[in-house]
């Protein structure tokens, strides 16, 4: 199992952090431009896991083991929960199956059953087998449907929470007072839109991307107020392309 930090989070735009869950432990990789950092932790040697989950943004998880400490940033709340659960499961020793030796000393003879007509016995057994198979099939089908329903509901709730946090993050972007700050925010919004473009019939994602687009349009239109000499035509061209992309992908994708 592999978890990759979001490129939208701080410090992960070019080289995102990675957490690899293996059978006996996990590997935390913090890539870098010239030299990265990689640390392996055995599940049983991990003494503590600390998590910082802000109201808005991405979580930070820190692993402590044998005096060593590694911190990784840029994971969602759902991913952090999965990582912690994998560590807890990995610390548990799975019991070995008990094999029972056959008792060769047993000499108890089976009780002789009353003889039945071959045709009657075969018909009754066939009916019982058919009923048993139908019942088993219905039970398994019902379990499968309920399990799929619960999983879909949980995934939907988790998705709603994630996009609500992302939308709040965009709404809380302050109005820039300097040109460089405005350009940095504009570039970040373009990256967000390209990483999560519009998709037909995905309302949660489309609402978030629409919000990014509207905020982007406001910032581009406000650039002359920060610097009357700034040429914003290149950004306006990108805005036009994104607008056409939004129209086609939301209606014909």
């Amino acid at each position: 199992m592999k978890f990759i930090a979001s490129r939208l989070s701080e410090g992960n735009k070019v080289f995102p952090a990675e957490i690899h869950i293996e059978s006996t432990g996990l590997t935390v990789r913090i890539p870098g431009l010239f030299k990265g950092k990689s640390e392996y932790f055995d599940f049983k040697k991990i003494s503590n896991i600390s998590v910082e989950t802000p109201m808005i943004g991405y979580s930070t998880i820190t692993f402590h083991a044998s005096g060593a400490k590694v911190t990784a940033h840029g994971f969602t709340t759902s991913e952090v929960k999965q990582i912690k659960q994998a560590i807890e499961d990995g610390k548990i020793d799975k019991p070995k199956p008990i094999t029972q030796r056959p008792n060769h000393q047993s000499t108890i003879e089976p009780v002789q059953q009353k003889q039945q007509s071959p045709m009657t016995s075969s018909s009754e057994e066939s009916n019982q087998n058919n009923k048993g198979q139908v019942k088993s099939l219905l039970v398994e089908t019902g379990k499968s449907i309920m399990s799929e329903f619960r999983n879909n509901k949980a995934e939907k709730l988790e998705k709603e929470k994630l996009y609500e946090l992302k939308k709040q993050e965009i709404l809380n972007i302050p109005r820039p007072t300097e040109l460089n700050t405005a350009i940095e925010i504009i570039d970040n919004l373009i990256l967000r839109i390209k990483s999560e473009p519009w998709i037909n019939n995905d309302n949660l994602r489309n609402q978030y991307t629409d919000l990014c687009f509207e905020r982007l349009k406001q910032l581009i239109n406000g650039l002359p107020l920060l610097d009357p000499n700034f040429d914003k035509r290149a950004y306006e061209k990108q805005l036009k392309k994104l607008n056409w992309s939004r129209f086609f992908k939301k209606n014909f994708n």
Side-chain angles (χ1 to χ4, degrees):
M1 194 159 35
K2 180 179 178 181
F3 298 89
I4 301 177
S6 173
R7 291 183 181 273
L8 302 178
S9 59
E10 183 180 355
N12 293 299
K13 290 180 174 59
V14 180
F15 302 104
E18 298 180 4
I19 297 177
H20 298 256
I21 305 296
E22 302 168 22
S23 58
T24 58
L26 61 86
T27 301
V28 183
R29 293 177 181 170
I30 312 294
L33 182 59
F34 298 104
K35 186 178 179 182
K37 182 178 181 181
S38 180
E39 191 80 27
Y40 174 80
F41 293 96
D42 188 291
F43 286 138
K44 295 183 179 179
K45 293 184 179 180
I46 296 176
S47 58
N48 186 32
I49 307 167
S50 56
V51 177
E52 296 179 12
T53 305
M55 291 293 294
I56 299 172
Y58 296 90
S59 300
T60 301
I61 184 168
T62 303
F63 304 96
H64 303 264
S66 303
K69 182 179 76 170
V70 173
T71 299
H73 173 70
F75 300 94
T76 64
T77 304
S78 175
E79 290 173 331
V80 168
K81 288 180 180 179
Q82 292 182 56
I83 293 168
K84 291 186 68 176
Q85 187 62 48
I87 294 172
E88 292 175 2
D89 293 342
K91 288 184 176 183
I92 301 173
D93 291 325
K94 296 181 179 179
K96 297 181 179 180
I98 300 174
T99 56
Q100 185 175 3
R101 296 182 179 179
N103 188 357
H104 297 290
Q105 297 179 355
S106 177
T107 57
I108 300 175
E109 296 182 357
V111 178
Q112 187 174 5
Q113 297 181 353
K114 184 178 179 181
Q115 293 184 353
Q116 296 180 354
S117 171
M119 293 183 64
T120 303
S121 176
S122 176
S123 176
E124 290 178 354
E125 289 178 1
S126 178
N127 290 335
Q128 289 177 357
N129 289 337
N130 289 336
K131 290 180 180 179
Q133 291 176 0
V134 172
K135 183 178 180 180
S136 177
L137 179 61
L138 291 173
V139 171
E140 291 300 323
T141 303
K143 288 181 178 179
S144 177
I145 292 173
M146 290 301 298
S147 177
E148 185 176 357
F149 174 78
R150 285 193 294 266
N151 291 338
N152 290 339
K153 186 176 181 181
E155 289 178 3
K156 183 179 179 181
L157 290 174
E158 192 66 33
K159 187 176 180 180
E160 288 176 353
K161 291 179 182 178
L162 175 61
Y163 276 106
E164 186 60 33
L165 287 173
K166 289 184 176 184
K167 285 162 63 177
Q168 289 298 323
E169 190 176 356
I170 299 301
L171 292 172
N172 290 331
I173 293 176
R175 183 182 295 274
T177 57
E178 296 181 358
L179 179 64
N180 292 336
T181 304
I183 291 175
E184 184 178 351
I185 297 174
I186 288 172
D187 291 339
N188 182 268
L189 286 171
I190 292 173
L191 180 63
R192 286 172 181 258
I193 294 172
K194 289 182 176 180
S195 64
E196 293 194 70
W198 293 274
I199 294 180
N200 191 15
N201 296 327
D202 192 340
N203 293 331
L204 285 173
R205 180 170 176 171
N206 290 342
Q207 288 173 7
Y208 163 72
T209 311
D210 278 339
L211 182 62
C212 291
F213 181 80
E214 293 302 323
R215 192 74 178 93
L216 174 67
K217 187 163 58 174
Q218 291 175 2
L219 290 169
I220 291 175
N221 292 334
L223 287 175
L225 298 176
L226 299 175
D227 186 351
N229 298 321
F230 182 79
D231 187 0
K232 64 174 183 173
R233 285 178 294 181
Y235 281 127
E236 288 177 336
K237 188 179 292 185
Q238 289 195 60
L239 196 65
K240 188 175 182 180
K241 287 181 179 179
L242 290 173
N243 195 25
W244 278 109
S245 176
R246 173 170 68 169
F247 174 76
F248 283 105
K249 287 189 176 181
K250 287 178 70 173
N251 294 283
F252 304 108
N253 190 19

